[in-house]
């Protein structure tokens, strides 16, 4: 989706003039960029988190990059998939936890546990 298409959809959904939307978008992105430049996280509920990470380079230096992470509980369902009920989602979450705990137990005690 291109910015112009997004602008038109926002204007329609918010019942605003299409000419009013770009100013809001521009200010939103400016504030996001300003926060990221300061090293702050930008958290958008229902969407995800933007954060600056330092990536080690082969020459020993680091490079800053913006990373986006969508929270798994906020992730959109895959195309064609029906939205799971909260009960089903909780069952899946518990199954994943149990699987991780089982794998951890099978790996044996950590060095910290032996001390």
């Amino acid at each position: 989706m291109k910015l112009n298409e997004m602008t038109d959809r926002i204007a329609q959904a918010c019942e605003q003039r299409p000419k009013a939307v770009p100013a809001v978008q521009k200010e939103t992105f400016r504030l996001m960029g300003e926060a990221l430049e300061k090293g702050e996280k930008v958290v958008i509920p229902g969407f995800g988190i933007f954060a600056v990470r330092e990536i080690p380079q082969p020459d020993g230096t680091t490079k800053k990059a913006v990373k986006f992470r969508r929270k798994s509980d906020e992730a959109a369902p895959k195309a064609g998939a029906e939205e799971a009920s909260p009960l089903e989602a909780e069952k899946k979450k518990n199954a994943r936890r149990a699987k991780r705990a089982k794998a951890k137990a099978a790996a044996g005690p950590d060095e910290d546990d032996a001390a």
Side-chain angles (χ1 to χ4, degrees):
M1 175 184 295
K2 294 186 179 182
L3 188 59
N4 287 342
E5 184 181 350
M6 188 183 303
T7 300
D8 292 340
R9 286 187 179 186
I10 291 169
Q12 188 176 33
C14 297
E15 298 177 1
Q16 297 293 318
R17 295 184 337 257
K19 290 185 177 186
V21 176
V24 175
Q25 290 171 320
K26 184 177 180 179
E27 184 63 10
T28 300
F29 296 137
R30 187 190 70 75
L31 290 172
M32 288 174 65
E34 191 177 278
L36 291 168
E37 284 287 324
K38 292 178 184 176
E40 298 174 8
K41 287 183 184 178
V42 176
V43 180
I44 303 173
F47 187 66
I49 301 169
F50 292 89
V52 176
R53 298 281 187 244
E54 289 192 6
I55 301 171
Q57 299 296 301
D59 63 359
T61 61
T62 59
K63 178 181 176 181
K64 290 185 179 183
V66 175
K67 296 289 184 174
F68 173 74
R69 180 175 45 118
R70 186 175 191 124
K71 290 187 177 179
S72 61
D73 60 327
E74 295 177 351
K78 292 181 181 176
E82 292 183 25
E83 195 168 323
S85 71
L87 182 59
E88 290 173 12
E90 189 65 28
K91 285 180 182 179
K92 286 182 181 181
K93 186 188 286 186
N94 289 339
R96 287 191 303 268
R97 285 181 185 155
K99 187 175 180 179
R100 283 194 301 265
K102 186 176 180 180
K104 188 174 180 180
D110 291 340
E111 291 180 16
D112 294 337
D113 295 340

